[in-house]
Amino acid sequence: MAENKVIYFDNNATTRIAPEVFEAMTPYLTEYYGNPSSIHHFGGQVMEKVDEAKASLAALLGADPANVIFTSCGTESDNAAIFSALLNCPKRKKIVVSKVEHPAVLSLAKELERRGCKVSQIPVDSNGVLDMNAARELIDDETAIVSVMWANNETGNIQDVELLAEIAHKNGALFHTDAVQAVGKIPINLKNSAIDMLSLSGHKLHGPKGIGALYVKRGVRFRPYIIGGHQENGRRAGTENVASIIGLGKAAELALNNIEKENTFVASLRDKLEKTILETIPRVRVNGDIAHRLPNTTNISFEYIEGESILMLLDMFGICASSGSACTTGSLEPSHVLRAMGIPYTCAHGAIRFSFSRYNTMEEVDFVLEKLPPVIARLREISPYWEENK
Ligand code: PLP
């Protein structure tokens, strides 16, 4: 393998645009620049394409296109869902989220708490599985909305969102799921689902960045988050991001055709990497619910070393992965997800997420398996903790 090639095992951060997506988008950045809201045919033909893209995205979700709203990203969709629920039900001031949500939900919940809402966080066990008994206790008749992610971005854990929706409904609350990491990676069928609202993002499924969508179940009242023109039937104002919408539609179509491949080929890459690491490198552990996770994700802790150091050395070989830590104010804090799981600090600090896509190859896995063990050995040689604990 050429040493200057980028090996991109960070597909939960973002994905490359599929060539077919790029091709579908290009004419709408150049030739067909009409405004979809225009009366004339030049704009009208663009609107037809926007509608087609919505139909493709709805097909991936098993939803009616009328229930899908284009937004600017996953974060906007999450915000729009939660604000809508709070506006709809002013008497209920409580929101229930999980401890392992993405900041798109968790930081919003914290901000809403500052603004007077009550926020409860459902805990998870050591595998990151949601504590359903705690969920039953925390969700009550003060709750306006329960928002729990379908799949976790760090561990890939898949949560039982249908059961949570049921619990929410029993208490008269709405249920929203951040499915940004799930859509395109696992089959989703909202046809008979109890889920009221679902967020997704284009750049996680080989579509462009800066485009997302929110599904709102028929019958659920939606209060717009962005107010202005009449676009999206008054549910999301602003001239449509046409090229990106068309790109997302194409990405959805490709995902629908590739889900099986994702579940077998992509999982085979992940499993080979994970199994070999576990067999050949001492003091490593896989974080998460191994039996219920996305086929493309593994989160592995290398004890007694820093994830950031591993990433920097891997980067020198062109290998891109991600660590579970966030660098805050100069100190390296382990990720809130791993902390919520009670993973010991010595493990949480050395956590690396490898996330794959259909564009990765077994050759790339072999390359990483050749480069990684000496990187770990080298870092452990200079780690005082390793010396004390090995
Ligand atoms: N939710 C989850 C689970 C994510 O992984 C991300 C992105 O990493 C987001 C929300 C935010 O999506 P976007 O980047 O489209 O705003």
Side-chain angles (χ1 to χ4, degrees), residues 12-13 73-75 78 102 104 149 151 153 178 180-181 201 203-204:
N12 285 7
C73 59
T75 304
D78 289 341
H102 187 273
M149 66 202 331
N153 44 305
D178 174 339
V180 165
Q181 292 292 344
S201 177
H203 72 105
K204 308 288 184 181

Side-chain angles (χ1 to χ4, degrees), residues 231-249:
Q231 292 88 354
E232 295 285 356
N233 284 326
R235 295 172 301 179
R236 203 279 186 182
T239 302
E240 292 86 346
N241 182 355
V242 172
S244 295
I245 285 173
I246 287 163
L248 175 53

Side-chain angles (χ1 to χ4, degrees), residues 318-386:
I319 299 165
C320 305
S322 176
S323 81
S325 306
C327 191
T328 43
T329 57
S331 72
L332 289 172
E333 270 296 302
S335 94
H336 71 284
V337 174
L338 300 184
R339 269 185 292 145
M341 289 161 66
I343 306 286
Y345 265 55
T346 48
C347 278
H349 271 298
I352 300 288
R353 176 188 72 188
F354 297 98
S355 49
F356 300 83
S357 84
R358 60 179 181 266
Y359 295 107
N360 291 127
T361 65
M362 205 49 101
E363 200 192 2
E364 291 175 332
V365 171
D366 289 338
F367 182 77
V368 174
L369 286 171
E370 181 194 317
K371 300 297 178 195
L372 183 67
V375 161
I376 303 298
R378 195 172 139 199
L379 290 171
R380 282 180 171 165
E381 260 169 39
I382 54 169
S383 159
Y385 306 108
W386 176 250

Side-chain angles (χ1 to χ4, degrees), residues 176-239:
H176 163 255
T177 185
D178 174 339
V180 165
Q181 292 292 344
V183 173
K185 294 178 189 159
I186 52 171
I188 286 182
N189 188 353
L190 296 172
K191 193 158 185 252
N192 296 312
S193 168
I195 293 166
D196 296 302
M197 289 183 275
L198 172 148
S199 301
L200 64 95
S201 177
H203 72 105
K204 308 288 184 181
L205 62 144
H206 304 289
K209 294 170 183 59
I211 185 74
L214 178 67
Y215 157 85
V216 182
K217 190 162 76 182
R218 196 182 164 163
V220 170
R221 225 172 123 217
F222 180 72
R223 299 282 204 101
Y225 179 62
I226 294 188
I227 296 165
H230 57 269
Q231 292 88 354
E232 295 285 356
N233 284 326
R235 295 172 301 179
R236 203 279 186 182
T239 302

